[in-house]
Every structure is written in C-alpha cells, then in structure tokens.
Amino acid sequence: MHHVAVVWLKQPGDPQARQRYIEASRPLARLPGVVAYDAGTPAAVRRGRANAALDESYDVAVSAVFESRQAYQQFLQDPEYLRVAQQVLRPLVEKYKLYEFAEPDRP
C-alpha cells in the first residue's frame, strides 16, 4: 500500500518551515506497518524544455509504503500518528492532496 501526500504550507517557500514539517513527520516512519517513509521538497530538476505536467508549487511531499492496506488503516488510527498529524503537522499546513494506491496482486 502506497501513500503520497503533497503539502502546501502556510509559509510557502520558507526553507525553515519546510524543514520543520519534514523533521516533525520523521517519527511516523517508526510506527508499526511502515515499510518505507520519505519526505522532501521539490527537486528542481533542470529539463530541456518546460513540462506542463510538472507541478513544483508545493512545499513538501511525503511518500510512505505500508505492509498492507490493513497496516495502513491501523497506522491511521495509531495514537502517535493522530497526535503528530493533528497537533504538529496540520497547524503548519495551508492545504494538502493525498494519493493512495495499491499494487495489484501478482499471480
């Protein structure tokens, strides 16, 4: 199970605010069921030409992989996740978008 969060902060473009969000989210990587957890800022990759599909307007993106859909659902109810999300991260956030997908079962 994959979870991607794209976050726009109340202080857009502020390097300290971005770092504060990333650092505050890192303990979530140690919660049960988390296989991988990465957080970062737009990569600012130089391209040969403009690409209308590229969106670098966000401040932070988080990518997390969970053992299973059930593990992700348990993560969402974990008291530590709820505390960090509600008391630490959300006060920094103007808006966010979530993308979640599961890999198809393999034969």
Side-chain angles (χ1 to χ4, degrees), residues 51-98:
N51 185 333
L54 179 63
D55 180 359
E56 294 180 308
S57 68
Y58 66 95
D59 288 291
V60 176
V62 175
S63 173
V65 179
F66 296 87
E67 292 172 354
S68 64
R69 189 180 311 246
Q70 180 181 359
Y72 177 55
Q73 290 172 331
Q74 290 173 340
F75 172 89
L76 292 175
Q77 297 173 2
D78 187 289
E80 181 62 7
Y81 163 73
L82 293 171
R83 184 193 71 75
V84 169
Q86 293 170 1
Q87 296 176 15
V88 181
L89 300 177
R90 288 197 184 130
L92 303 172
V93 173
E94 180 66 32
K95 74 174 187 170
Y96 61 96
K97 288 197 148 277
L98 302 177

Side-chain angles (χ1 to χ4, degrees), residues 38-55:
D38 298 291
T41 58
V45 173
R46 291 186 183 263
R47 300 176 186 278
R49 59 189 169 110
N51 185 333
L54 179 63
D55 180 359

Side-chain angles (χ1 to χ4, degrees), residues 2-72:
H2 298 259
H3 167 84
V4 177
V6 180
V7 180
W8 290 262
L9 299 175
K10 290 179 180 174
Q11 296 176 302
D14 181 330
Q16 288 85 15
R18 288 174 169 183
Q19 192 60 35
R20 191 166 43 251
Y21 185 96
I22 291 168
E23 290 297 325
S25 76
R26 282 205 174 120
L28 300 178
R30 295 189 296 271
L31 292 181
V34 178
V35 174
Y37 187 94
D38 298 291
T41 58
V45 173
R46 291 186 183 263
R47 300 176 186 278
R49 59 189 169 110
N51 185 333
L54 179 63
D55 180 359
E56 294 180 308
S57 68
Y58 66 95
D59 288 291
V60 176
V62 175
S63 173
V65 179
F66 296 87
E67 292 172 354
S68 64
R69 189 180 311 246
Q70 180 181 359
Y72 177 55

